[in-house]
Amino acid sequence: MIRSNYTALLTPQFRVLSDDQVEEIHLATLEVLRRTGIVVKEPAGIALLKKGGCWVDGERVRIPAHLVEWAVNMAPPRVVLCDRHGDPAMFLERNKIYYGTGSDTPNVVDPYSGERRPATLADVENTSRVVDFLPNISFMMCMGIAADVNGALSDLYHFNAMVTNTKKPIVYTAWNLANLQDIVAMAEAVAGGAQALQRSPFLALYTEPISPLQHAVESVQKLLWMAEKRLPVAYTPGMTTGAAAPVTMAGGLVQANAEILSGLVMAQLAGEGTPFIYGGGIDPMDMRTMTMTYASPEFMLNMSALTEMGRYYRLPVFSFAGCTDSKTFDQQATLEGGMWMLIAALSGGNLVHDVGYIDNGLTASLQMLVSMDEVAGLVKRIMGGIEVSGETMAIDVIDEVGPAGHFLSTDHTYRHFKENWFPKLFDRTTYETWRANGSLTLGERAAARAREILETYQPEPLPQDVRVALDGIIAGAERRVAG
């Protein structure tokens, strides 16, 4: 058989912006950077931009279009993040999707009492172990600000807890440049040296500009230092539209793009080829409650559109999924979290974080995380699409069985039934079986699953000499901040 001009879709298709709309947002961004410009608080960043050909008036910097285009071309179109052993784990490129947790929530839901309380270092350790176990969660962010350690160095303690309890890639935050340098020193100790870490990075820094259109001292210092080290950095705004950005979605997209691309320019001026991860949060404010929304349809549309902008620039994209505005793990949480998981996959974001967030991003929930891992498996099956071939159309099998027959005993069924998705947490039994098994809700099953992982799973430990080295770096940092 010969076919002419036959097209096959390997995945479902989803698009928010047309090519013309993407181009229009890009050109509007160039005009904002030329006309309005940005404020840069760090003198080293100002000097770098001035040397690169920007127009500088004090802290106000205006960027010519050609410099933006140059920076886009200098940045690599893919970022490879490895595991703790240096083996490739995530290829952040084109439409490859990886789900992970979020960072720096002040509260957690206790997996045993079910109570909301301040996060501790043990919570960061426990979440890292759960992430290491879950098959569909690919990277770790700390999911809590530990209230029981030195607050000036809690970021170091978070990193130590994560790298000790999971071998998966880590996306981390650092409070300042000195702490960042200590964290990278810890990562180099794990990787086997600075060159080994640069060649096979298992971590990426997450840091932010300040909306609207400002780059703080600490943010720029961290960005430039990572560029000098040629280590991956996600430089992404977290704006609230209607407050720190225009209330319209297109206006938010233009401003976010300007903040991201101005950071990209600084990173590439500091180190051509710096692995730079595009993206951010364009998060609407609910004008009735004056709170930012974590699961509004506008947020989902904004992130889908921003992902399409990232593809236009051929840059890896940092995005959102698996999070909710609900204050507890309930029907709203599963609805909003599941919707996010599917939208993020359809959009094609690469580094998809905040899985497990509830309470408008203020609380981490292992129930939510475990449930969204299950949803990720479901979404993976949807994104696999439908194979159309002679084997799968099964014309001969249909003819063999004929009218009024059944397909249970055919070889074709045996060959293919395992291609269907089978849940481990969601319930598909009969009502009677569900009652006999205790009438458990999804929330109860998810909580039990999280506790089971914590009580039975042990991650691969770090070598003892590496653990000693990490403890030594933290002890040195304690002496530094003590004065």
Side-chain angles (χ1 to χ4, degrees), residues 410-455:
T410 67
D411 290 341
H412 186 270
T413 297
Y414 181 77
R415 288 197 302 272
H416 292 286
F417 82 94
K418 291 183 180 179
E419 296 168 8
N420 292 338
W421 178 72
F422 295 92
K424 296 180 180 178
L425 191 61
F426 296 170
D427 189 277
R428 288 178 172 176
T429 62
T430 65
Y431 181 81
E432 290 75 19
T433 301
W434 174 72
R435 286 292 302 272
N437 289 336
S439 307
L440 299 178
T441 64
L442 173 62
E444 291 168 329
R445 293 193 299 274
R449 183 62 168 151
R451 291 192 295 267
E452 179 187 10
I453 295 168
L454 292 176
E455 292 165 8

mmCIF file of all heavy atoms in Angstrom, residues 410-455:
data_model
loop_
_atom_site.group_PDB
_atom_site.id
_atom_site.type_symbol
_atom_site.label_atom_id
_atom_site.label_comp_id
_atom_site.label_asym_id
_atom_site.label_seq_id
_atom_site.Cartn_x
_atom_site.Cartn_y
_atom_site.Cartn_z
ATOM 1 N N THR A 410 -8.845 -13.586 22.968
ATOM 2 C CA THR A 410 -8.031 -13.466 21.757
ATOM 3 C C THR A 410 -6.593 -13.123 22.095
ATOM 4 O O THR A 410 -6.298 -12.451 23.098
ATOM 5 C CB THR A 410 -8.590 -12.384 20.819
ATOM 6 O OG1 THR A 410 -8.448 -11.109 21.436
ATOM 7 C CG2 THR A 410 -10.054 -12.634 20.488
ATOM 8 N N ASP A 411 -5.675 -13.572 21.255
ATOM 9 C CA ASP A 411 -4.263 -13.201 21.418
ATOM 10 C C ASP A 411 -4.075 -11.691 21.313
ATOM 11 O O ASP A 411 -3.194 -11.106 21.965
ATOM 12 C CB ASP A 411 -3.414 -13.900 20.345
ATOM 13 C CG ASP A 411 -3.303 -15.393 20.565
ATOM 14 O OD1 ASP A 411 -3.561 -15.842 21.707
ATOM 15 O OD2 ASP A 411 -2.977 -16.113 19.596
ATOM 16 N N HIS A 412 -4.890 -11.047 20.506
ATOM 17 C CA HIS A 412 -4.787 -9.595 20.318
ATOM 18 C C HIS A 412 -5.037 -8.856 21.644
ATOM 19 O O HIS A 412 -4.307 -7.923 22.000
ATOM 20 C CB HIS A 412 -5.798 -9.144 19.253
ATOM 21 C CG HIS A 412 -5.684 -7.699 18.874
ATOM 22 N ND1 HIS A 412 -6.391 -6.712 19.518
ATOM 23 C CD2 HIS A 412 -4.931 -7.077 17.924
ATOM 24 C CE1 HIS A 412 -6.098 -5.539 18.978
ATOM 25 N NE2 HIS A 412 -5.201 -5.740 18.014
ATOM 26 N N THR A 413 -6.044 -9.290 22.390
ATOM 27 C CA THR A 413 -6.320 -8.693 23.702
ATOM 28 C C THR A 413 -5.158 -8.920 24.650
ATOM 29 O O THR A 413 -4.726 -8.004 25.370
ATOM 30 C CB THR A 413 -7.620 -9.267 24.288
ATOM 31 O OG1 THR A 413 -8.705 -8.915 23.439
ATOM 32 C CG2 THR A 413 -7.865 -8.738 25.686
ATOM 33 N N TYR A 414 -4.609 -10.129 24.653
ATOM 34 C CA TYR A 414 -3.484 -10.441 25.534
ATOM 35 C C TYR A 414 -2.263 -9.591 25.195
ATOM 36 O O TYR A 414 -1.528 -9.147 26.089
ATOM 37 C CB TYR A 414 -3.147 -11.927 25.419
ATOM 38 C CG TYR A 414 -2.001 -12.349 26.309
ATOM 39 C CD1 TYR A 414 -2.198 -12.526 27.677
ATOM 40 C CD2 TYR A 414 -0.724 -12.552 25.771
ATOM 41 C CE1 TYR A 414 -1.148 -12.901 28.503
ATOM 42 C CE2 TYR A 414 0.332 -12.931 26.592
ATOM 43 C CZ TYR A 414 0.116 -13.108 27.959
ATOM 44 O OH TYR A 414 1.156 -13.460 28.763
ATOM 45 N N ARG A 415 -2.055 -9.339 23.912
ATOM 46 C CA ARG A 415 -0.893 -8.556 23.495
ATOM 47 C C ARG A 415 -1.007 -7.088 23.889
ATOM 48 O O ARG A 415 -0.005 -6.435 24.142
ATOM 49 C CB ARG A 415 -0.695 -8.643 21.975
ATOM 50 C CG ARG A 415 -0.200 -9.966 21.473
ATOM 51 C CD ARG A 415 0.356 -9.846 20.060
ATOM 52 N NE ARG A 415 -0.611 -9.333 19.103
ATOM 53 C CZ ARG A 415 -1.467 -10.073 18.417
ATOM 54 N NH1 ARG A 415 -1.494 -11.394 18.614
ATOM 55 N NH2 ARG A 415 -2.312 -9.532 17.547
ATOM 56 N N HIS A 416 -2.223 -6.571 23.968
ATOM 57 C CA HIS A 416 -2.377 -5.114 24.060
ATOM 58 C C HIS A 416 -3.067 -4.595 25.319
ATOM 59 O O HIS A 416 -3.028 -3.382 25.549
ATOM 60 C CB HIS A 416 -3.162 -4.607 22.835
ATOM 61 C CG HIS A 416 -2.420 -4.745 21.545
ATOM 62 N ND1 HIS A 416 -1.369 -3.920 21.197
ATOM 63 C CD2 HIS A 416 -2.565 -5.628 20.516
ATOM 64 C CE1 HIS A 416 -0.905 -4.273 20.011
ATOM 65 N NE2 HIS A 416 -1.609 -5.310 19.576
ATOM 66 N N PHE A 417 -3.647 -5.439 26.155
ATOM 67 C CA PHE A 417 -4.446 -4.875 27.247
ATOM 68 C C PHE A 417 -3.597 -4.107 28.262
ATOM 69 O O PHE A 417 -4.075 -3.172 28.906
ATOM 70 C CB PHE A 417 -5.281 -5.974 27.937
ATOM 71 C CG PHE A 417 -4.530 -6.781 28.968
ATOM 72 C CD1 PHE A 417 -4.559 -6.431 30.308
ATOM 73 C CD2 PHE A 417 -3.791 -7.915 28.598
ATOM 74 C CE1 PHE A 417 -3.883 -7.174 31.256
ATOM 75 C CE2 PHE A 417 -3.114 -8.658 29.538
ATOM 76 C CZ PHE A 417 -3.154 -8.290 30.882
ATOM 77 N N LYS A 418 -2.328 -4.457 28.385
ATOM 78 C CA LYS A 418 -1.478 -3.756 29.346
ATOM 79 C C LYS A 418 -1.072 -2.360 28.873
ATOM 80 O O LYS A 418 -0.449 -1.605 29.626
ATOM 81 C CB LYS A 418 -0.228 -4.583 29.652
ATOM 82 C CG LYS A 418 -0.524 -5.851 30.447
ATOM 83 C CD LYS A 418 0.737 -6.612 30.801
ATOM 84 C CE LYS A 418 0.411 -7.865 31.596
ATOM 85 N NZ LYS A 418 1.632 -8.653 31.945
ATOM 86 N N GLU A 419 -1.431 -2.032 27.639
ATOM 87 C CA GLU A 419 -1.171 -0.671 27.170
ATOM 88 C C GLU A 419 -2.127 0.334 27.808
ATOM 89 O O GLU A 419 -1.865 1.534 27.809
ATOM 90 C CB GLU A 419 -1.304 -0.618 25.642
ATOM 91 C CG GLU A 419 -0.272 -1.472 24.920
ATOM 92 C CD GLU A 419 -0.572 -1.658 23.448
ATOM 93 O OE1 GLU A 419 -1.521 -0.984 22.945
ATOM 94 O OE2 GLU A 419 0.093 -2.474 22.792
ATOM 95 N N ASN A 420 -3.238 -0.151 28.337
ATOM 96 C CA ASN A 420 -4.163 0.722 29.057
ATOM 97 C C ASN A 420 -3.571 1.108 30.408
ATOM 98 O O ASN A 420 -2.754 0.377 30.979
ATOM 99 C CB ASN A 420 -5.513 0.037 29.267
ATOM 100 C CG ASN A 420 -6.261 -0.163 27.969
ATOM 101 O OD1 ASN A 420 -6.000 0.524 26.984
ATOM 102 N ND2 ASN A 420 -7.183 -1.108 27.955
ATOM 103 N N TRP A 421 -3.980 2.253 30.919
ATOM 104 C CA TRP A 421 -3.464 2.749 32.199
ATOM 105 C C TRP A 421 -4.225 2.118 33.357
ATOM 106 O O TRP A 421 -5.454 2.036 33.339
ATOM 107 C CB TRP A 421 -3.604 4.273 32.254
ATOM 108 C CG TRP A 421 -3.152 4.880 33.546
ATOM 109 C CD1 TRP A 421 -1.867 5.003 33.999
ATOM 110 C CD2 TRP A 421 -3.978 5.447 34.573
ATOM 111 N NE1 TRP A 421 -1.836 5.618 35.227
ATOM 112 C CE2 TRP A 421 -3.121 5.904 35.603
ATOM 113 C CE3 TRP A 421 -5.357 5.618 34.706
ATOM 114 C CZ2 TRP A 421 -3.601 6.522 36.760
ATOM 115 C CZ3 TRP A 421 -5.846 6.234 35.861
ATOM 116 C CH2 TRP A 421 -4.975 6.672 36.874
ATOM 117 N N PHE A 422 -3.499 1.647 34.359
ATOM 118 C CA PHE A 422 -4.107 1.040 35.534
ATOM 119 C C PHE A 422 -3.703 1.838 36.775
ATOM 120 O O PHE A 422 -2.506 1.942 37.081
ATOM 121 C CB PHE A 422 -3.664 -0.414 35.683
ATOM 122 C CG PHE A 422 -4.145 -1.305 34.573
ATOM 123 C CD1 PHE A 422 -3.364 -1.523 33.447
ATOM 124 C CD2 PHE A 422 -5.389 -1.904 34.643
ATOM 125 C CE1 PHE A 422 -3.808 -2.336 32.412
ATOM 126 C CE2 PHE A 422 -5.846 -2.717 33.612
ATOM 127 C CZ PHE A 422 -5.060 -2.931 32.504
ATOM 128 N N PRO A 423 -4.653 2.431 37.497
ATOM 129 C CA PRO A 423 -4.314 3.232 38.676
ATOM 130 C C PRO A 423 -3.869 2.372 39.842
ATOM 131 O O PRO A 423 -4.253 1.199 39.956
ATOM 132 C CB PRO A 423 -5.620 3.953 39.003
ATOM 133 C CG PRO A 423 -6.687 3.041 38.473
ATOM 134 C CD PRO A 423 -6.107 2.402 37.247
ATOM 135 N N LYS A 424 -3.058 2.985 40.707
ATOM 136 C CA LYS A 424 -2.645 2.332 41.943
ATOM 137 C C LYS A 424 -3.355 2.947 43.151
ATOM 138 O O LYS A 424 -3.463 2.311 44.193
ATOM 139 C CB LYS A 424 -1.136 2.443 42.119
ATOM 140 C CG LYS A 424 -0.341 1.723 41.042
ATOM 141 C CD LYS A 424 1.159 1.876 41.265
ATOM 142 C CE LYS A 424 1.953 1.147 40.183
ATOM 143 N NZ LYS A 424 3.422 1.328 40.361
ATOM 144 N N LEU A 425 -3.813 4.181 43.003
ATOM 145 C CA LEU A 425 -4.412 4.915 44.114
ATOM 146 C C LEU A 425 -5.907 5.150 43.906
ATOM 147 O O LEU A 425 -6.691 5.050 44.836
ATOM 148 C CB LEU A 425 -3.693 6.255 44.285
ATOM 149 C CG LEU A 425 -3.980 7.067 45.535
ATOM 150 C CD1 LEU A 425 -3.599 6.296 46.788
ATOM 151 C CD2 LEU A 425 -3.205 8.387 45.482
ATOM 152 N N PHE A 426 -6.303 5.473 42.682
ATOM 153 C CA PHE A 426 -7.715 5.704 42.385
ATOM 154 C C PHE A 426 -8.473 4.379 42.450
ATOM 155 O O PHE A 426 -7.922 3.321 42.144
ATOM 156 C CB PHE A 426 -7.894 6.328 41.001
ATOM 157 C CG PHE A 426 -7.285 7.710 40.877
ATOM 158 C CD1 PHE A 426 -7.183 8.316 39.636
ATOM 159 C CD2 PHE A 426 -6.814 8.396 41.983
ATOM 160 C CE1 PHE A 426 -6.637 9.577 39.503
ATOM 161 C CE2 PHE A 426 -6.263 9.660 41.863
ATOM 162 C CZ PHE A 426 -6.171 10.254 40.617
ATOM 163 N N ASP A 427 -9.755 4.442 42.819
ATOM 164 C CA ASP A 427 -10.557 3.236 43.030
ATOM 165 C C ASP A 427 -11.466 2.966 41.839
ATOM 166 O O ASP A 427 -12.232 3.840 41.426
ATOM 167 C CB ASP A 427 -11.407 3.389 44.299
ATOM 168 C CG ASP A 427 -12.097 2.102 44.678
ATOM 169 O OD1 ASP A 427 -13.171 1.828 44.111
ATOM 170 O OD2 ASP A 427 -11.564 1.361 45.517
ATOM 171 N N ARG A 428 -11.390 1.745 41.298
ATOM 172 C CA ARG A 428 -12.252 1.324 40.197
ATOM 173 C C ARG A 428 -13.080 0.088 40.555
ATOM 174 O O ARG A 428 -13.676 -0.537 39.684
ATOM 175 C CB ARG A 428 -11.416 0.997 38.963
ATOM 176 C CG ARG A 428 -10.810 2.194 38.260
ATOM 177 C CD ARG A 428 -9.979 1.697 37.090
ATOM 178 N NE ARG A 428 -9.510 2.781 36.231
ATOM 179 C CZ ARG A 428 -8.704 2.594 35.179
ATOM 180 N NH1 ARG A 428 -8.304 1.360 34.868
ATOM 181 N NH2 ARG A 428 -8.331 3.621 34.448
ATOM 182 N N THR A 429 -13.101 -0.286 41.825
ATOM 183 C CA THR A 429 -13.811 -1.498 42.226
ATOM 184 C C THR A 429 -15.318 -1.251 42.267
ATOM 185 O O THR A 429 -15.791 -0.144 42.059
ATOM 186 C CB THR A 429 -13.333 -1.960 43.613
ATOM 187 O OG1 THR A 429 -13.643 -0.928 44.574
ATOM 188 C CG2 THR A 429 -11.842 -2.212 43.630
ATOM 189 N N THR A 430 -16.061 -2.286 42.582
ATOM 190 C CA THR A 430 -17.504 -2.141 42.763
ATOM 191 C C THR A 430 -17.792 -1.461 44.102
ATOM 192 O O THR A 430 -16.930 -1.383 44.990
ATOM 193 C CB THR A 430 -18.190 -3.509 42.756
ATOM 194 O OG1 THR A 430 -17.738 -4.266 43.899
ATOM 195 C CG2 THR A 430 -17.891 -4.269 41.488
ATOM 196 N N TYR A 431 -19.032 -0.979 44.246
ATOM 197 C CA TYR A 431 -19.426 -0.339 45.503
ATOM 198 C C TYR A 431 -19.267 -1.299 46.679
ATOM 199 O O TYR A 431 -18.787 -0.925 47.754
ATOM 200 C CB TYR A 431 -20.871 0.140 45.402
ATOM 201 C CG TYR A 431 -21.372 0.831 46.647
ATOM 202 C CD1 TYR A 431 -21.070 2.156 46.893
ATOM 203 C CD2 TYR A 431 -22.154 0.135 47.572
ATOM 204 C CE1 TYR A 431 -21.531 2.790 48.038
ATOM 205 C CE2 TYR A 431 -22.610 0.757 48.726
ATOM 206 C CZ TYR A 431 -22.301 2.090 48.953
ATOM 207 O OH TYR A 431 -22.744 2.704 50.087
ATOM 208 N N GLU A 432 -19.647 -2.544 46.478
ATOM 209 C CA GLU A 432 -19.566 -3.526 47.564
ATOM 210 C C GLU A 432 -18.113 -3.767 47.972
ATOM 211 O O GLU A 432 -17.796 -3.870 49.172
ATOM 212 C CB GLU A 432 -20.219 -4.835 47.134
ATOM 213 C CG GLU A 432 -21.737 -4.776 46.993
ATOM 214 C CD GLU A 432 -22.184 -4.028 45.732
ATOM 215 O OE1 GLU A 432 -21.345 -3.874 44.790
ATOM 216 O OE2 GLU A 432 -23.346 -3.586 45.697
ATOM 217 N N THR A 433 -17.217 -3.865 46.986
ATOM 218 C CA THR A 433 -15.803 -4.071 47.300
ATOM 219 C C THR A 433 -15.229 -2.852 48.011
ATOM 220 O O THR A 433 -14.459 -2.977 48.978
ATOM 221 C CB THR A 433 -15.016 -4.349 46.016
ATOM 222 O OG1 THR A 433 -15.544 -5.506 45.378
ATOM 223 C CG2 THR A 433 -13.548 -4.569 46.308
ATOM 224 N N TRP A 434 -15.622 -1.667 47.542
ATOM 225 C CA TRP A 434 -15.154 -0.432 48.193
ATOM 226 C C TRP A 434 -15.599 -0.392 49.650
ATOM 227 O O TRP A 434 -14.798 -0.051 50.540
ATOM 228 C CB TRP A 434 -15.698 0.770 47.417
ATOM 229 C CG TRP A 434 -15.408 2.103 48.044
ATOM 230 C CD1 TRP A 434 -14.207 2.741 48.114
ATOM 231 C CD2 TRP A 434 -16.350 2.957 48.693
ATOM 232 N NE1 TRP A 434 -14.344 3.944 48.774
ATOM 233 C CE2 TRP A 434 -15.659 4.101 49.132
ATOM 234 C CE3 TRP A 434 -17.726 2.870 48.941
ATOM 235 C CZ2 TRP A 434 -16.284 5.147 49.809
ATOM 236 C CZ3 TRP A 434 -18.359 3.915 49.611
ATOM 237 C CH2 TRP A 434 -17.633 5.026 50.037
ATOM 238 N N ARG A 435 -16.844 -0.762 49.915
ATOM 239 C CA ARG A 435 -17.333 -0.792 51.303
ATOM 240 C C ARG A 435 -16.556 -1.820 52.118
ATOM 241 O O ARG A 435 -16.174 -1.562 53.264
ATOM 242 C CB ARG A 435 -18.830 -1.125 51.322
ATOM 243 C CG ARG A 435 -19.755 -0.001 50.878
ATOM 244 C CD ARG A 435 -19.754 1.155 51.865
ATOM 245 N NE ARG A 435 -20.151 0.748 53.199
ATOM 246 C CZ ARG A 435 -21.414 0.713 53.634
ATOM 247 N NH1 ARG A 435 -22.407 1.069 52.807
ATOM 248 N NH2 ARG A 435 -21.689 0.345 54.859
ATOM 249 N N ALA A 436 -16.318 -2.986 51.527
ATOM 250 C CA ALA A 436 -15.604 -4.045 52.249
ATOM 251 C C ALA A 436 -14.165 -3.641 52.568
ATOM 252 O O ALA A 436 -13.588 -4.102 53.558
ATOM 253 C CB ALA A 436 -15.619 -5.323 51.414
ATOM 254 N N ASN A 437 -13.594 -2.765 51.746
ATOM 255 C CA ASN A 437 -12.215 -2.313 51.962
ATOM 256 C C ASN A 437 -12.119 -1.090 52.869
ATOM 257 O O ASN A 437 -11.055 -0.495 53.001
ATOM 258 C CB ASN A 437 -11.548 -2.008 50.619
ATOM 259 C CG ASN A 437 -11.263 -3.262 49.824
ATOM 260 O OD1 ASN A 437 -11.131 -4.348 50.387
ATOM 261 N ND2 ASN A 437 -11.178 -3.126 48.504
ATOM 262 N N GLY A 438 -13.238 -0.708 53.480
ATOM 263 C CA GLY A 438 -13.190 0.372 54.455
ATOM 264 C C GLY A 438 -13.814 1.677 54.016
ATOM 265 O O GLY A 438 -13.749 2.666 54.751
ATOM 266 N N SER A 439 -14.392 1.729 52.817
ATOM 267 C CA SER A 439 -15.058 2.947 52.306
ATOM 268 C C SER A 439 -14.128 4.155 52.328
ATOM 269 O O SER A 439 -14.528 5.273 52.661
ATOM 270 C CB SER A 439 -16.318 3.254 53.131
ATOM 271 O OG SER A 439 -17.177 2.151 53.211
ATOM 272 N N LEU A 440 -12.873 3.957 51.962
ATOM 273 C CA LEU A 440 -11.884 5.022 52.064
ATOM 274 C C LEU A 440 -12.021 6.024 50.920
ATOM 275 O O LEU A 440 -12.225 5.651 49.765
ATOM 276 C CB LEU A 440 -10.472 4.427 52.041
ATOM 277 C CG LEU A 440 -10.111 3.463 53.173
ATOM 278 C CD1 LEU A 440 -8.702 2.928 52.972
ATOM 279 C CD2 LEU A 440 -10.250 4.142 54.527
ATOM 280 N N THR A 441 -11.905 7.294 51.246
ATOM 281 C CA THR A 441 -11.881 8.337 50.237
ATOM 282 C C THR A 441 -10.488 8.414 49.609
ATOM 283 O O THR A 441 -9.517 7.833 50.128
ATOM 284 C CB THR A 441 -12.199 9.699 50.845
ATOM 285 O OG1 THR A 441 -11.155 10.050 51.779
ATOM 286 C CG2 THR A 441 -13.539 9.674 51.568
ATOM 287 N N LEU A 442 -10.378 9.147 48.514
ATOM 288 C CA LEU A 442 -9.067 9.355 47.900
ATOM 289 C C LEU A 442 -8.117 10.008 48.884
ATOM 290 O O LEU A 442 -6.937 9.635 48.973
ATOM 291 C CB LEU A 442 -9.197 10.214 46.640
ATOM 292 C CG LEU A 442 -7.878 10.658 45.990
ATOM 293 C CD1 LEU A 442 -7.066 9.447 45.532
ATOM 294 C CD2 LEU A 442 -8.138 11.597 44.825
ATOM 295 N N GLY A 443 -8.594 10.982 49.643
ATOM 296 C CA GLY A 443 -7.731 11.647 50.616
ATOM 297 C C GLY A 443 -7.181 10.686 51.647
ATOM 298 O O GLY A 443 -6.000 10.749 52.010
ATOM 299 N N GLU A 444 -8.015 9.769 52.122
ATOM 300 C CA GLU A 444 -7.563 8.791 53.106
ATOM 301 C C GLU A 444 -6.564 7.824 52.488
ATOM 302 O O GLU A 444 -5.562 7.455 53.126
ATOM 303 C CB GLU A 444 -8.767 8.046 53.679
ATOM 304 C CG GLU A 444 -9.659 8.919 54.555
ATOM 305 C CD GLU A 444 -10.992 8.273 54.883
ATOM 306 O OE1 GLU A 444 -11.495 7.484 54.033
ATOM 307 O OE2 GLU A 444 -11.543 8.560 55.950
ATOM 308 N N ARG A 445 -6.833 7.400 51.263
ATOM 309 C CA ARG A 445 -5.885 6.487 50.600
ATOM 310 C C ARG A 445 -4.561 7.184 50.319
ATOM 311 O O ARG A 445 -3.488 6.588 50.464
ATOM 312 C CB ARG A 445 -6.495 5.956 49.296
ATOM 313 C CG ARG A 445 -7.694 5.052 49.489
ATOM 314 C CD ARG A 445 -8.056 4.297 48.212
ATOM 315 N NE ARG A 445 -8.404 5.168 47.112
ATOM 316 C CZ ARG A 445 -9.620 5.667 46.887
ATOM 317 N NH1 ARG A 445 -10.615 5.381 47.729
ATOM 318 N NH2 ARG A 445 -9.875 6.438 45.847
ATOM 319 N N ALA A 446 -4.613 8.454 49.911
ATOM 320 C CA ALA A 446 -3.382 9.192 49.623
ATOM 321 C C ALA A 446 -2.567 9.409 50.890
ATOM 322 O O ALA A 446 -1.333 9.282 50.878
ATOM 323 C CB ALA A 446 -3.720 10.532 48.970
ATOM 324 N N ALA A 447 -3.228 9.731 51.989
ATOM 325 C CA ALA A 447 -2.511 9.917 53.254
ATOM 326 C C ALA A 447 -1.852 8.620 53.699
ATOM 327 O O ALA A 447 -0.699 8.607 54.160
ATOM 328 C CB ALA A 447 -3.474 10.424 54.325
ATOM 329 N N ALA A 448 -2.585 7.505 53.562
ATOM 330 C CA ALA A 448 -2.015 6.209 53.932
ATOM 331 C C ALA A 448 -0.831 5.862 53.041
ATOM 332 O O ALA A 448 0.172 5.298 53.516
ATOM 333 C CB ALA A 448 -3.091 5.131 53.832
ATOM 334 N N ARG A 449 -0.926 6.183 51.751
ATOM 335 C CA ARG A 449 0.176 5.914 50.823
ATOM 336 C C ARG A 449 1.401 6.722 51.197
ATOM 337 O O ARG A 449 2.529 6.197 51.189
ATOM 338 C CB ARG A 449 -0.269 6.232 49.398
ATOM 339 C CG ARG A 449 0.763 5.937 48.325
ATOM 340 C CD ARG A 449 1.093 4.480 48.286
ATOM 341 N NE ARG A 449 1.849 4.123 47.109
ATOM 342 C CZ ARG A 449 2.711 3.111 47.060
ATOM 343 N NH1 ARG A 449 2.916 2.369 48.141
ATOM 344 N NH2 ARG A 449 3.359 2.819 45.953
ATOM 345 N N ALA A 450 1.224 7.995 51.522
ATOM 346 C CA ALA A 450 2.355 8.840 51.918
ATOM 347 C C ALA A 450 3.019 8.294 53.178
ATOM 348 O O ALA A 450 4.260 8.217 53.265
ATOM 349 C CB ALA A 450 1.880 10.271 52.139
ATOM 350 N N ARG A 451 2.223 7.893 54.156
ATOM 351 C CA ARG A 451 2.798 7.339 55.393
ATOM 352 C C ARG A 451 3.528 6.028 55.116
ATOM 353 O O ARG A 451 4.593 5.764 55.696
ATOM 354 C CB ARG A 451 1.689 7.137 56.433
ATOM 355 C CG ARG A 451 1.110 8.438 56.967
ATOM 356 C CD ARG A 451 0.242 8.184 58.182
ATOM 357 N NE ARG A 451 -0.945 7.403 57.864
ATOM 358 C CZ ARG A 451 -2.124 7.917 57.548
ATOM 359 N NH1 ARG A 451 -2.276 9.234 57.484
ATOM 360 N NH2 ARG A 451 -3.163 7.134 57.301
ATOM 361 N N GLU A 452 2.973 5.211 54.244
ATOM 362 C CA GLU A 452 3.628 3.943 53.900
ATOM 363 C C GLU A 452 5.003 4.192 53.282
ATOM 364 O O GLU A 452 5.985 3.504 53.620
ATOM 365 C CB GLU A 452 2.751 3.152 52.931
ATOM 366 C CG GLU A 452 3.367 1.824 52.503
ATOM 367 C CD GLU A 452 2.564 1.138 51.419
ATOM 368 O OE1 GLU A 452 1.636 1.754 50.860
ATOM 369 O OE2 GLU A 452 2.882 -0.029 51.099
ATOM 370 N N ILE A 453 5.103 5.164 52.389
ATOM 371 C CA ILE A 453 6.397 5.483 51.777
ATOM 372 C C ILE A 453 7.383 5.937 52.843
ATOM 373 O O ILE A 453 8.537 5.486 52.893
ATOM 374 C CB ILE A 453 6.220 6.561 50.691
ATOM 375 C CG1 ILE A 453 5.381 6.026 49.531
ATOM 376 C CG2 ILE A 453 7.593 7.013 50.162
ATOM 377 C CD1 ILE A 453 4.927 7.103 48.554
ATOM 378 N N LEU A 454 6.937 6.833 53.731
ATOM 379 C CA LEU A 454 7.826 7.349 54.774
ATOM 380 C C LEU A 454 8.315 6.244 55.708
ATOM 381 O O LEU A 454 9.448 6.291 56.197
ATOM 382 C CB LEU A 454 7.106 8.430 55.581
ATOM 383 C CG LEU A 454 6.785 9.736 54.842
ATOM 384 C CD1 LEU A 454 5.994 10.671 55.733
ATOM 385 C CD2 LEU A 454 8.066 10.413 54.358
ATOM 386 N N GLU A 455 7.483 5.270 55.939
ATOM 387 C CA GLU A 455 7.808 4.227 56.914
ATOM 388 C C GLU A 455 8.577 3.055 56.314
ATOM 389 O O GLU A 455 9.195 2.282 57.060
ATOM 390 C CB GLU A 455 6.516 3.727 57.561
ATOM 391 C CG GLU A 455 5.854 4.771 58.446
ATOM 392 C CD GLU A 455 4.411 4.429 58.786
ATOM 393 O OE1 GLU A 455 3.971 3.290 58.446
ATOM 394 O OE2 GLU A 455 3.723 5.278 59.370
#
